[in-house]
């Protein structure tokens, strides 16, 4: 057990905390950026001002979430050096260029065009504004591409060789970038982000309908959210299954932990509930559906699933954490599918926008995506332990030569800071939701100035308002 | 595996590219951090609104150069990145915390009203101040030298805390404040501009003082630096830097006393920063971890440097182009209207 000032333990805790906190914002903004692009496209296509009003409400929420993502993301990019300098030195030749490409292809794009998206209404044409939204949306996807490529490489390393001193050097970039688990991880994550956004938008739409506020806007929000739930949540089940099979092939020990299987079994059962005991190497109180695990993983009732005991104790991940977070993620995914099915039935009965209990249910599902993303991330990251690069490099060997006290102090500072920020961000987002889209005083006419050739400078504004210069 | 090693000096190219990225960061985030440093001294809330609006569309893009500087160092010189980040552990964490408080203030300030807006005013100011001061400390520690054994940092957690680094911290605060003030002159008018002009005059004196102090201390601190600057024929080659700096200062002083110049003070401040930056570059050449590891020793393998260069050669011009476009879209004077923001 780690002592309370063990730098490895504290650095892991700090990384887990800062990543888990950070991931919730991209998980939301990736989906939101794409959705905003669709909303703005609908507005340009139909001219319906409802879409513009929805856009202008949600772009404010987007700005808060994006800002939080940026500031917490900068922290991560430096943490490789501050807390994991040995990792940076040994793996920098491979991970460094991947993260470098993320900055070059995505960060600048998002940061630059976000300015136009937020402040450019009266300075660029409608079409250019839409292009800016589209670019930001694509930027978030490119960002996800590189970050998941880097992460997947640490899960299923490929295209490298080990040189003297434990240095890992690239031998084939295509194999590094498109490593064996990358496609599955990327699709699973992006889909997760889309669903996260859908359930937030649907939850707020449901809330408005339930309260009888902004009903016309709320129907659009709930409707669009449920289209995502109906079509995309079953697809996510499929993608998740494919990802699981890929993990079974490349990281069987992780799957054994996810399934809570200790002894190698032919026809392994699916444990619905269990209390994994890491030291006793067994489960307490299990409820098992016979043979189902083998069927899912090997597509054969009697397929073999290797148990955790096949690996040395020192090579096993913390089982209970992986086992439970996996169940929470899958459970929430199932609830999303059910929500979509219910919405479909209600839609055909023309009751989707009037069924109050369903609107309450959508409100309850608002955080579902966030919880699923964070637990899913825990499954995959904790399941990789005790390795940082799976089967190649141990986490404990890669920490910086910094004092445990310094790591403890910075961890405390991050926890306090992030706590304050989360409170503030939640407060302002709730305020925006409270105001709603109607209260936006700018009517559609105000967008007429979109096509201006010359930006209205403040001198013109001051002349118009007769205001005194300050 | 492709590699440009046989016909390009990859480590040198990367040294130049990262130096450029860091310099662009200093200029670009320098002015918006400077705006934050001067923020509470502005005469009115409307002035503060204008100052905030003048940087709001840009700060995120500006800060990205810091990520590129750090990310580029990680990719091209992982050894230097690993050592420097361990050595700068506490200043870097404090800088990041400062950048967090400053960054969120952009989103929250205009959504807050009354008393709670004050919180975000202070968050913006103290965040900018802390981030700048810590960057100055990092610079001072870098120039001062770092304890290294083998491939690791070998010093203590408080090695960065020296009188010299505290001085470079204060020096950078005054430098960014000058950038912020001259930016404000350029992007505002009326009362805000007049105030910024007056502030710039005060701040400029501090900048001149600190530049003199740092220029004197560095050769005294390190014999190599002294030899480099004061031996012949180097002495003659390096003269344009101090001479140009003095010239820029004189012109800046005249501009700030007059009323008509709006753009030139900012450009002259950029010139002063450039001269300083080159001076520090010359003094620390060819070290990437000063006096321990050169940029060649810290370089990533040619395969990694080539891979990054391939993309950078295509992407950097595109990035510069659309960054320029965004500055062009938001050209002209900033307003105090935050409803018009979005």
């Amino acid at each position: 057990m780690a002592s309370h000032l063990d730098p490895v333990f504290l650095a892991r805790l700090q990384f887990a905390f800062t990543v888990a906190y950070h991931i919730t914002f991209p998980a939301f903004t990736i989906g939101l950026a794409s959705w905003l692009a669709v909303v703005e496209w609908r507005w340009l296509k139909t001219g319906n001002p409802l879409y513009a009003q929805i856009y202008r409400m949600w772009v404010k929420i987007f700005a808060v979430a994006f800002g939080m993502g940026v500031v917490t993301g900068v922290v991560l990019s430096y943490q490789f050096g501050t807390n994991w300098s040995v990792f940076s030195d040994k793996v920098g030749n491979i991970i460094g260029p991947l993260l470098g490409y993320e900055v070059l292809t995505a960060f600048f794009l998002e940061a630059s065009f976000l300015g136009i998206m937020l402040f450019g209404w009266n300075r660029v044409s409608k079409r250019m504004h839409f292009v800016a939204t589209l670019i930001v949306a694509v930027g978030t996807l490119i960002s996800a591409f590189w970050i998941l490529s880097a992460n997947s490489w640490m899960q299923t390393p490929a295209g490298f060789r080990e040189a003297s001193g434990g240095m890992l050097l690239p031998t084939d970039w295509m194999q590094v970038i498109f490593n064996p688990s990358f496609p599955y991880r990327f699709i699973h994550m992006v889909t997760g982000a889309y669903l996260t956004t859908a359930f937030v938008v649907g939850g707020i739409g449901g809330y408005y309908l339930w309260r009888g506020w902004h009903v016309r806007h709320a129907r659009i929000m709930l409707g669009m959210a449920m289209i995502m739930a109906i079509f995309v949540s079953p697809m996510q089940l499929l993608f998740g299954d494919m990802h699981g099979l890929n993990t079974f092939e490349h990281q069987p020990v992780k799957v054994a932990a996810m399934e809570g299987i200790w002894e190698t079994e032919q026809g392994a059962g699916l444990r619905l509930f269990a209390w994994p005991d890491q030291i006793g190497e067994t489960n307490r109180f299990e409820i098992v559906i016979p043979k189902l695990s083998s069927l899912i993983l090997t597509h054969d009732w009697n397929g073999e699933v290797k148990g955790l005991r096949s690996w040395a104790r020192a090579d096993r991940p913390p089982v209970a954490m992986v086992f439970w977070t996996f169940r929470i993620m899958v459970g929430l995914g199932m609830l999303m599918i059910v929500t979509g099915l219910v919405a479909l039935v209600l839609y055909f009965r023309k009751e989707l926008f009037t069924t109050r209990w369903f609107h309450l249910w959508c409100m309850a599902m608002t955080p579902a995506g966030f919880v699923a993303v964070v637990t899913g991330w825990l499954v995959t990251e904790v399941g990789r332990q005790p390795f940082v690069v799976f089967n190649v490099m141990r986490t404990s060997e890669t920490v910086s030569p910094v004092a445990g006290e310094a790591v403890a102090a910075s961890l405390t500072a991050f926890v306090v800071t992030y706590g304050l920020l989360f409170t503030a961000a939640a407060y302002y987002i709730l305020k925006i939701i409270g105001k709603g889209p109607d209260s936006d005083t700018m009517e559609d006419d105000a967008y007429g100035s979109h096509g201006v050739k010359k930006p209205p400078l403040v001198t013109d504004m001051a002349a118009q308002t007769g205001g005194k210069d300050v | 595996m492709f590699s440009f090693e046989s016909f390009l000096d990859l480590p040198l190219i990367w040294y130049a590219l990262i130096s450029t990225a860091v310099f662009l960061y200093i200029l670009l985030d320098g002015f918006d951090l400077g705006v934050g440093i001067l923020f509470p001294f502005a005469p009115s809330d409307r002035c503060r609104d204008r100052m905030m609006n003048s940087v709001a569309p840009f700060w995120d893009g500006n800060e990205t150069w810091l990520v590129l500087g750090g990310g580029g160092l990680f990719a091209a010189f992982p050894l230097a990145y690993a050592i420097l980040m361990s050595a700068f552990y506490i200043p870097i964490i404090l800088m990041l915390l400062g950048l967090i408080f400053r960054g969120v203030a952009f989103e929250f300030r205009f959504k807050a009203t009354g008393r709670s807006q004050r919180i975000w005013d202070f968050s913006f100011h103290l965040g900018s101040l802390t981030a700048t001061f810590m960057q100055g400390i990092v610079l001072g520690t870098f120039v001062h030298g770092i304890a290294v054994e083998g491939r690791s940092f070998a010093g203590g957690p408080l090695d960065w805390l020296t009188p010299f680094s505290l001085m470079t911290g204060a020096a950078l605060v005054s430098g960014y404040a000058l950038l912020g003030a001259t930016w404000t002159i350029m992007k505002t008018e009326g009362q805000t501009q007049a105030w910024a002009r007056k502030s710039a005059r005060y701040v400029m004196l501090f900048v001149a003082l600190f530049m003199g102090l740092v220029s004197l201390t560095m050769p005294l601190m390190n014999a190599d630096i002294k030899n480099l600057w004061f031996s012949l024929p180097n002495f003659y080659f390096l003269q344009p830097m101090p001479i140009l700096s003095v010239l820029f200062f004189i012109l800046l002083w005249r501009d700030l006393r007059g009323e008509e110049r709006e753009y030139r003070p900012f450009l002259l401040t950029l010139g002063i920063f450039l001269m300083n930056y080159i001076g520090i570059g010359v003094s620390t050449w060819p070290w990437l971890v000063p006096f321990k590891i050169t940029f060649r020793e810290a370089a990533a393998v040619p395969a990694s440097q080539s891979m990054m260069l391939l993309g950078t050669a295509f992407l950097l011009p595109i990035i510069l182009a659309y960054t320029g476009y965004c500055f062009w879209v938001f050209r002209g004077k900033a307003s105090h209207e935050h409803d018009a923001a979005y």
Side-chain angles (χ1 to χ4, degrees):
Chain A
M1 194 60 206
S3 93
H4 65 297
L5 285 183
D6 171 12
V8 178
F9 175 71
L10 287 167
R12 278 188 62 190
L13 199 60
Q14 180 166 326
F15 206 75
F17 175 72
T18 47
V19 175
Y21 190 92
H22 170 75
I23 202 176
T24 55
F25 296 102
F28 183 33
T29 49
I30 289 170
L32 203 50
S34 293
W35 181 63
L36 283 171
V38 173
V39 170
E40 194 170 18
W41 172 71
R42 293 296 302 154
W43 175 51
L44 290 178
K45 190 123 169 101
T46 64
N48 183 349
L50 290 177
Y51 287 111
Q53 286 155 5
I54 290 171
Y55 182 97
R56 289 171 76 84
M57 169 188 159
W58 281 93
V59 81
K60 290 175 195 166
I61 296 175
F62 178 77
V64 173
F66 194 87
M68 296 286 286
V70 168
V71 294
T72 54
V74 175
V75 170
L76 290 177
S77 71
Y78 277 83
Q79 223 168 50
F80 287 111
T82 50
N83 284 348
W84 305 99
S85 66
V86 179
F87 172 80
S88 301
D89 180 27
K90 289 184 175 169
V91 191
N93 282 293
I94 293 168
I95 297 289
L98 300 183
L99 299 182
Y101 267 96
E102 188 191 9
V103 183
L104 288 170
T105 56
F107 286 178
F108 279 109
L109 211 58
E110 293 171 63
S112 303
F113 288 94
L114 181 70
I116 293 181
M117 198 174 157
L118 296 179
F119 307 105
W121 280 111
N122 296 312
R123 291 183 173 256
V124 297
S125 67
K126 279 184 182 181
R127 191 177 292 266
M128 183 60 218
H129 192 274
F130 172 61
V131 169
T133 309
L134 209 57
I135 288 176
V136 171
V138 172
T140 60
L141 292 174
I142 299 174
S143 191
F145 175 93
W146 290 109
I147 209 73
L148 282 159
S149 173
N151 179 262
S152 297
W153 184 85
M154 289 160 69
Q155 302 276 354
T156 53
F160 72 104
R161 69 188 169 86
E162 207 166 334
S164 63
M167 299 284 287
L168 303 187
L169 302 179
T171 54
D172 184 338
W173 282 111
M174 292 315 271
Q175 281 186 35
V176 169
I177 296 168
F178 298 98
N179 58 77
S181 67
F182 168 69
Y184 305 96
R185 224 174 274 280
F186 178 64
I187 292 170
H188 194 50
M189 178 70 206
V190 170
T191 311
Y194 278 21
L195 285 171
T196 301
T197 302
F199 278 89
V200 173
V201 172
I204 308 303
Y207 172 67
Y208 286 157
L209 287 172
W210 188 70
R211 297 292 296 254
W213 295 348
H214 322 295
V215 173
R216 289 179 308 159
H217 303 94
R219 285 170 162 236
I220 294 174
M221 292 183 208
L222 185 70
M224 288 175 88
M226 286 307 120
I227 289 171
M228 283 292 282
I230 290 164
F231 290 102
V232 180
S233 59
M235 276 160 67
Q236 181 68 316
L237 183 70
L238 187 71
F239 297 146
D241 179 54
M242 283 157 64
H243 186 196
L245 295 180
N246 178 267
T247 307
F248 185 60
E249 186 185 340
H250 295 279
Q251 297 176 297
V253 64
K254 186 193 282 183
V255 172
M258 282 153 68
E259 298 289 331
I261 294 172
W262 293 92
E263 287 292 350
T264 301
E265 289 179 57
Q266 320 283 335
L270 181 79
R271 278 133 186 97
L272 279 181
F273 178 91
W275 193 256
D277 176 357
Q278 189 99 11
I279 295 159
E281 299 186 312
T282 181
N283 294 330
R284 296 186 214 157
F285 327 110
E286 17 171 69
I287 300 171
V288 187
I289 301 175
K291 306 216 181 216
L292 192 54
S293 232
S294 282
L295 183 71
I296 293 170
L297 291 166
T298 63
H299 293 183
D300 172 6
W301 289 104
N302 292 309
E304 185 186 88
V305 179
K306 269 174 106 180
L308 284 154
R309 287 195 202 182
S310 316
W311 288 273
R313 268 175 183 272
D315 294 344
R316 293 176 204 160
V319 180
M321 179 95 147
V322 179
F323 182 86
W324 275 108
T325 48
F326 179 63
R327 264 143 200 78
I328 294 170
M329 177 190 74
V330 174
L332 286 168
M334 295 299 174
L335 287 180
M336 289 180 188
I337 294 173
V338 170
T339 308
L341 289 174
V342 173
L344 194 64
V345 172
L346 289 174
Y347 176 77
F348 282 117
R349 291 164 66 177
K350 301 199 188 310
E351 288 168 5
L352 181 60
F353 302 122
T354 51
T355 309
R356 287 175 64 80
W357 65 262
F358 184 69
H359 302 153
L360 267 180
W361 171 253
C362 286
M363 283 155 65
M365 284 293 284
T366 307
F370 294 110
V371 179
V373 166
V374 173
T375 48
W377 173 77
L378 284 168
V379 172
T380 202
E381 300 302 293
V382 176
R384 184 189 56 198
Q385 302 300 332
F387 294 98
V388 63
V389 179
F390 190 66
N391 278 348
V392 176
M393 190 176 286
R394 279 173 198 273
T395 310
S396 57
E397 296 162 352
T398 56
V399 78
S400 295
V402 290
E405 285 78 4
V407 188
S410 61
L411 174 62
T412 313
F414 281 124
V415 171
V416 172
T417 306
Y418 284 13
L420 285 173
L421 292 188
F422 192 81
T423 314
Y427 172 76
Y428 290 117
I429 287 177
L430 290 176
K431 219 166 116 173
I432 296 165
I433 292 168
K435 272 174 82 178
D438 271 346
S439 64
D440 207 323
T441 50
M442 291 188 80
E443 287 304 314
D444 193 36
D445 292 342
Y447 303 109
S449 54
H450 245 68
V452 286
K453 290 282 179 289
K454 202 165 66 93
L457 303 181
V458 74
T459 42
D460 310 334
M461 282 189 187
Q464 280 162 22
T465 55
K468 283 200 184 65
D469 191 29
V470 284
Chain B
M1 280 297 271
F2 65 93
S3 168
F4 305 130
E5 193 193 10
S6 51
F7 52 95
L8 289 178
D9 187 348
L10 287 168
L12 184 67
I13 289 171
W14 274 106
Y15 181 85
L17 278 173
I18 288 166
S19 305
T20 310
V22 171
F23 185 63
L24 281 171
Y25 170 74
I26 290 170
L27 292 187
L28 294 172
D29 217 21
F31 76 70
D32 63 52
L33 285 164
V35 164
I37 292 166
L38 296 170
F39 205 56
F41 308 110
S44 73
D45 270 349
R46 285 190 136 198
C47 293
R48 277 185 273 277
D49 289 347
R50 294 187 158 195
M51 290 166 75
M52 201 100 180
N53 280 342
S54 78
V55 293
F58 308 118
W59 76 272
D60 193 1
N62 294 344
E63 203 170 294
T64 308
W65 291 97
L66 180 69
V67 182
L68 184 66
L73 192 66
F74 183 24
F77 303 100
L79 177 60
Y81 177 79
I83 293 172
L84 292 174
M85 291 305 137
S86 307
F88 302 147
Y89 189 89
I90 292 172
I92 291 274
I93 299 283
L94 290 174
M95 175 193 82
L96 293 172
L97 290 170
L99 290 177
I100 289 174
F101 279 105
R102 181 192 68 126
V104 296
F106 281 100
E107 299 305 333
F108 295 159
R109 187 174 179 275
F110 285 139
K111 295 182 177 66
T113 42
R115 193 174 290 253
S116 72
Q117 198 172 52
R118 285 289 153 272
I119 299 173
W120 301 114
D121 282 353
F122 275 102
S123 170
F124 184 51
H125 172 65
L126 291 176
S128 303
L129 194 63
T130 310
T132 306
F133 189 64
M134 290 302 144
Q135 285 175 11
I137 281 187
V138 163
L139 177 71
T141 312
F142 177 81
V143 173
H144 197 268
I146 287 153
V148 175
E149 259 170 42
R151 297 178 73 85
S152 291
F153 170 61
L158 294 176
D159 279 13
W160 52 274
L161 197 60
T162 63
F164 179 73
S165 69
L166 292 175
M167 185 175 75
T168 51
L172 200 67
V173 170
S174 63
Y176 281 4
L178 185 61
L179 272 173
T182 50
W183 166 268
T184 307
I185 293 172
M186 191 165 76
K187 293 293 279 187
T188 63
E189 56 203 335
Q191 196 192 346
T192 318
Q193 194 191 46
W195 164 79
R197 211 178 275 281
K198 202 172 81 185
S199 309
R201 287 203 294 270
Y202 282 114
V203 174
M204 196 195 118
L205 295 177
F206 281 101
V207 175
L209 175 74
F210 278 121
M211 267 181 68
L213 276 174
V214 172
S215 308
L216 281 177
T217 327
M218 271 176 57
L220 291 176
M221 231 165 45
N222 185 302
D224 286 343
I225 296 179
K226 189 180 167 189
N227 279 335
L228 181 92
W229 283 84
F230 295 102
S231 68
L232 297 176
N234 288 5
F235 185 73
Y236 299 112
F237 289 123
L238 295 173
Q239 276 320 295
M241 268 176 274
I243 291 171
L244 278 175
S245 295
V246 172
L247 181 71
F248 290 160
F249 266 114
I250 294 170
L251 287 173
L252 182 61
W253 180 249
R254 290 165 57 115
D255 280 1
L256 292 174
R257 284 171 64 89
E259 292 294 323
E260 72 278 18
R261 297 279 187 191
E262 294 195 327
Y263 287 81
R264 210 169 75 172
F266 186 66
L267 296 176
L268 287 169
T269 312
L270 297 189
I272 292 169
F273 264 85
L274 183 64
M275 290 305 117
N276 268 284
Y277 194 70
I278 295 174
I280 290 166
V282 168
S283 303
T284 55
W285 173 268
W287 306 107
L288 209 54
V289 179
F291 323 122
K292 292 291 186 329
I293 293 168
T294 67
F295 71 91
R296 290 191 190 282
E297 289 162 347
V301 292
S304 299
Q305 290 198 330
S306 302
M307 152 80 170
M308 273 290 284
L309 190 61
L310 188 71
T312 309
F314 282 108
L315 292 164
L316 205 57
I318 297 173
I319 290 170
L320 289 172
Y322 65 63
T323 303
Y325 170 74
C326 290
F327 273 87
W328 183 78
V329 164
F330 294 102
R331 71 195 178 282
K333 305 287 183 184
S335 82
H336 59 264
E337 307 268 321
H338 36 93
D339 291 338
Y342 54 93

